[in-house]
Amino acid sequence: MDYYAVFGNPIAHSLSPTIHTQFAKQTGMMIHYEKIRAPIDGFAQSAKLFINRGGRGFNITMPFKIEAFNLATKHTTNAKTAGAVNTIKVSGNTLIGENTDGIGLINDLCKNLNIDLKGKIVLILGAGGASRGILLSLLREKPKRLMIANRTTSKAIQLAKDFSAYGKTCGFGLDKIKNTPVDLIINTTSAALNNTMPKIANGVACGAICYDLMYAIQTPFMRWAQDNGANLVVDGLGMLVEQASASFEFWTGEKPDTHQVLKKLRDKMR
Ligand code: ATR
């Protein structure tokens, strides 16, 4: 039996054990995957205990992704550019840090939803950790322009600058969003936690694909998108399953079938 886990706080509602257990079944691997609620000030210690118990790898979710970056002794390019780690593979004494969030989003958009990002205009709402984690993968798809709009303007400008080597990026405040449609809007803000959404020009959603990184709830952003003529409104459940699949492959070399798992989760949530 190989041991894997997800660390977070809170972690009770994590779907990762369900997803990875189904991946293991599909691929015929003997895997035990558990959720571990690390104390807010005790992530590294918890992770080390798990490694000493024989853990082969683990996922990391809020609020430990930056600490996980610091715990890793080697980093993939995705992890380095994201400045955060959501997957660690234990390889002897080396802890390899990866970030599969961006791959997860792209696989959901391009593979599951059949969207081609090449030449498209993309607007990202938010300039925090979640936004940083998906930028490299998005820019690799060669959009025409990638705009980052944030409540705190300086953070959007800085983030756009940090990624300018990978494609055409620009950053500005939410109030500078024009009232003209774009192809894709991705909400990475945590505004839904307060049951709100960033105040932005309504016309930007008309005909757009509107994607929220949150899942399991209909967020105010999703409702706003529907009310303002979006072509398609999507939550982040597909991204969750796809990032899990990329982690599973990173650990085991096996590529699970995500469609089955995503369908089951969607059916369960209806
Ligand atoms: P995460 O790791 O989830 O990205 P974060 O780094 O704290 O979390 O970033 C949260 C993001 O949501 C930020 O872009 C934040 O805007 P600020 O940089 O101005 O703080 C954004 N955000 C949170 N609540 C918001 C709200 N009510 N309206 C607009 N943006 C909001």
Side-chain angles (χ1 to χ4, degrees), residues 62 65 125-132 149-153 155 174 188-194 196-199 214:
M62 291 228 299
K65 289 186 187 182
L125 306 178
S131 179
R132 180 175 282 275
N150 195 47
R151 182 173 61 183
T152 311
T153 305
K155 279 167 72 178
L174 293 169
T188 76
T189 73
S190 50
L193 299 178
N194 298 318
T196 60
M197 76 153 277
K199 235 184 158 45
M214 300 235 170

Side-chain angles (χ1 to χ4, degrees), residues 4-257:
Y4 294 91
V6 58
F7 288 84
N9 188 337
I11 198 67
H13 296 104
S14 172
L15 295 173
S16 294
T18 308
I19 295 170
H20 282 282
T21 303
Q22 288 182 53
F23 288 166
K25 244 190 218 159
Q26 265 183 22
T27 54
M29 302 199 75
M30 296 287 283
I31 279 175
H32 181 264
Y33 188 108
E34 62 188 298
K35 41 189 165 196
I36 299 176
R37 184 176 166 276
I40 290 295
D41 59 353
F43 163 70
Q45 203 184 1
S46 266
K48 281 176 191 158
L49 272 175
F50 179 70
I51 294 164
N52 290 340
R53 274 204 282 133
R56 300 284 300 270
F58 46 96
N59 286 125
I60 306 95
T61 186
M62 291 228 299
F64 301 127
K65 289 186 187 182
I66 292 171
E67 280 181 69
F69 182 93
N70 295 329
L71 183 71
T73 52
K74 200 174 155 185
H75 301 87
T76 63
T77 306
N78 289 326
K80 275 185 215 157
T81 49
V85 154
N86 78 337
T87 307
I88 283 183
K89 179 176 175 173
V90 182
S91 175
N93 289 328
T94 310
L95 300 180
I96 311 171
E98 162 68 309
N99 193 313
T100 62
D101 285 335
I103 309 164
L105 172 68
I106 293 304
N107 282 343
D108 193 34
L109 286 170
C110 302
K111 209 178 71 173
N112 299 340
L113 301 166
N114 242 326
I115 297 163
D116 183 4
L117 294 175
K118 193 159 186 240
K120 300 280 166 44
I121 297 177
V122 179
L123 171 66
I124 315 261
L125 306 178
S131 179
R132 180 175 282 275
I134 59 172
L135 287 179
L136 179 63
S137 299
L138 280 167
L139 287 166
R140 280 184 177 145
E141 296 301 310
K142 306 261 176 274
K144 185 175 174 190
R145 196 153 23 108
L146 193 151
M147 302 180 283
I148 304 164
N150 195 47
R151 182 173 61 183
T152 311
T153 305
S154 57
K155 279 167 72 178
I157 293 172
Q158 185 59 48
L159 198 52
K161 214 164 142 194
D162 290 350
F163 282 82
S164 58
Y166 302 99
K168 202 163 176 206
T169 58
C170 56
F172 43 80
L174 293 169
D175 55 330
K176 293 284 185 301
I177 293 175
K178 292 198 179 124
N179 204 29
T180 46
V182 297
D183 296 304
L184 171 67
I185 309 176
I186 303 174
N187 181 31
T188 76
T189 73
S190 50
L193 299 178
N194 298 318
N195 201 24
T196 60
M197 76 153 277
K199 235 184 158 45
I200 59 174
N202 290 338
V204 72
C206 188
I209 294 160
C210 292
Y211 195 106
D212 202 314
L213 297 196
M214 300 235 170
Y215 59 87
I217 51 163
Q218 169 92 347
T219 65
F221 168 76
M222 292 168 77
R223 280 194 294 275
W224 166 85
Q226 247 140 22
D227 292 347
N228 287 286
N231 185 23
L232 182 70
V233 182
V234 196
D235 73 357
L237 190 66
M239 173 179 167
L240 177 79
V241 175
E242 292 296 340
Q243 63 79 30
S245 165
S247 297
F248 192 90
E249 192 181 350
F250 184 66
W251 293 323
T252 67
E254 298 281 334
K255 210 180 176 105
D257 173 11

